[in-house]
Amino acid sequence: MIVEATLPLLLEYGEAVTTRQIADAAGIAEGTIFRAFTDKDEVIAAVLEKALDTTALEEALSRIKLDRPFEKCLDEAVAAIQRRVVDIWQLMSAVGPRFHPQKKSEPTPISPALTRLFEAHKDRLGVKPAEAAKFLRALTMSVTHPMLNDNPMSSRDVVKLFLYGVHARPDGRKPGAC
């Protein structure tokens, strides 16, 4: 309850948020925070830990109905990944570098749900499903991240770029054109 109440406050106030504001948002007495956490920094760390957990993204990707057309499935997956990229960037920007994870971490494993999406449509692939999942995640993150793009691509445009590339077709039509 405290962690969930703190997230929007961090986005608004950054690390300057007060424990009074957190308590008010959570509907608890300020002292209750200190029964669950040592100090405000520990609350912020708990918010970051929850935000960086990939469970919510994995659940969103798992809800994609795989019997739909491949492009529609990819569009929904890209939109979910884009929301996560922007949400994490906003939170990390709000709290500042003092709270960024310090340990050298391994790359995030490829999403099992995203891999399943590609397995369901493997007849459309020229690479293994896990590789396709890795490439889609990397492309989506790079064309979405606010520090890399002042105008992020739409999920539909990301899907078209992913599927059809940037190379013009021999007949002069643009990639993805019917």
Side-chain angles (χ1 to χ4, degrees):
M1 172 175 64
I2 294 169
V3 169
E4 289 184 22
T6 304
L7 177 59
L9 296 171
L10 284 175
L11 292 170
E12 185 173 349
Y13 301 105
E15 70 174 292
V17 66
T18 66
T19 54
R20 164 63 34 218
Q21 290 169 312
I22 294 169
D24 289 346
I28 58 174
E30 191 172 6
T32 305
I33 293 171
F34 300 108
R35 281 186 274 235
F37 299 96
T38 306
D39 56 20
K40 182 178 77 171
D41 286 359
E42 196 172 289
V43 175
I44 294 172
V47 172
L48 289 176
E49 183 179 332
K50 181 174 182 184
L52 293 172
D53 181 13
T54 59
T55 302
L57 175 61
E58 192 64 19
E59 288 171 357
L61 294 171
S62 293
R63 287 191 296 273
I64 296 172
K65 299 202 181 328
L66 301 179
D67 59 346
R68 295 175 34 227
F70 186 41
E71 290 81 358
K72 299 272 187 203
C73 293
L74 289 177
D75 188 35
E76 196 172 333
V78 167
I81 296 167
Q82 286 181 311
R83 279 190 300 276
R84 177 170 169 78
V85 168
V86 171
D87 289 349
I88 295 297
W89 179 81
Q90 288 175 333
L91 179 60
M92 298 306 272
S93 296
V95 299
R98 187 166 76 88
F99 290 97
H100 293 190
Q102 298 301 312
K103 66 178 184 173
K104 184 167 174 133
S105 60
E106 300 282 323
T108 304
I110 298 303
S111 159
L114 191 55
T115 301
R116 277 192 300 280
L117 184 156
F118 282 107
E119 286 170 350
H121 298 276
K122 65 183 170 197
D123 58 312
R124 299 278 309 269
L125 301 179
V127 298
K128 293 178 181 175
E131 293 219 353
K134 181 171 107 178
F135 295 148
L136 181 64
R137 181 181 71 182
L139 174 64
T140 302
M141 290 176 70
S142 66
V143 299
T144 303
H145 196 286
M147 292 301 290
L148 300 176
N149 295 284
D150 56 352
N151 188 19
M153 295 177 78
S154 70
S155 58
R156 185 166 192 238
D157 286 342
V158 174
V159 170
K160 285 172 36 180
L161 178 61
F162 177 75
L163 290 175
Y164 309 114
V166 296
H167 189 267
R169 292 174 28 171
D171 60 11
R173 294 188 311 187
K174 292 183 180 183
C178 298

